[in-house]
Amino acid sequence: KGEWNGMGKVGTKKIVLLGVWVVLLASLIVAINVLGKPPASSRPGGPPTNPMPKLSAEKLEADWPQIMAHAAAPPRGDAGARYTLAEFGDFQCPQCGAARPLLEKMLAQHPKQVNLIFVHRPIPSIHEWAMPSGQASEIAADQGKFWPMYDILYSHQDDLEPGFYGGYAAKAGLDKAFFQKA
């Protein structure tokens, strides 16, 4: 009673448990080997990667007039500063908003050495209000109030629907009627 082919029930259970443990251990070893390898794109013979381009001071200097031509407004800070920070931003982008205090701190700590330009790089595929807020800042720039509008838009990243822009324009010192018409 209770024996199968000369083996006890306890012996059979041990063999089954041992089999389960062997399968689990083998699965773990396979997973470690597969997950521990670098992606094919970074292994020799794998698909080519797109490394970051090397920054060349000569190329940057040659491209600088074109970069400056795309700036939304004159530099914030001393126009004759030795260093210019170029922010490529989107007013609805949380990372851009998070970087803003660092830029402001740099300007405050080095007022004669550093200035800031802003170049629009909206990402409308994930930021619904990126384009309208950028347009609002451009209307403000036409009245010489880009930087006040910049501050307001970044301070209200969660409220960038166009219905708010009239109030923001007034806070920035803009002619509200002109702003609404534009």
Side-chain angles (χ1 to χ4, degrees):
K1 226 177 193 186
E3 289 185 17
W4 297 312
N5 298 329
M7 294 175 62
K9 284 185 181 180
V10 174
T12 303
K13 286 181 184 179
K14 285 182 181 179
I15 291 174
V16 170
L17 285 174
L18 179 63
V20 169
W21 280 108
V22 168
V23 169
L24 286 174
L25 184 59
S27 298
L28 181 61
I29 290 170
V30 169
I32 289 171
N33 282 331
V34 170
L35 296 175
K37 290 183 182 176
S41 61
S42 65
R43 288 194 307 253
T49 60
N50 293 327
M52 291 293 292
K54 299 224 186 257
L55 185 59
S56 157
E58 293 81 21
K59 179 165 177 24
L60 184 60
E61 186 175 352
D63 292 346
W64 194 247
Q66 185 178 4
I67 293 169
M68 290 299 291
H70 287 92
R76 182 176 213 165
D78 186 348
R82 181 173 180 170
Y83 302 102
T84 297
L85 303 173
E87 176 185 357
F88 293 80
D90 170 338
F91 291 113
Q92 196 174 0
C93 172
Q95 291 80 11
C96 296
R100 184 171 163 254
L102 300 173
L103 296 172
E104 297 297 329
K105 183 178 179 182
M106 182 74 74
L107 289 171
Q109 288 178 341
H110 307 283
K112 298 293 182 197
Q113 294 88 15
V114 177
N115 64 29
L116 173 67
I117 63 166
F118 182 87
V119 179
H120 291 284
R121 284 295 179 255
I123 310 171
S125 61
I126 58 173
H127 300 139
E128 180 179 8
W129 308 115
M131 293 296 285
S133 61
Q135 291 166 338
S137 74
E138 288 297 312
I139 295 167
D142 290 342
Q143 293 185 43
K145 300 287 186 176
F146 173 81
W147 292 109
M149 184 61 103
Y150 164 98
D151 292 333
I152 291 167
L153 292 171
Y154 268 136
S155 296
H156 293 88
Q157 281 191 303
D158 293 331
D159 298 316
L160 290 178
E161 294 87 359
F164 290 104
Y165 298 160
Y168 296 163
K171 284 183 185 176
L174 296 163
D175 176 340
K176 189 174 179 179
F178 172 84
F179 185 85
Q180 297 283 4
K181 184 179 176 187

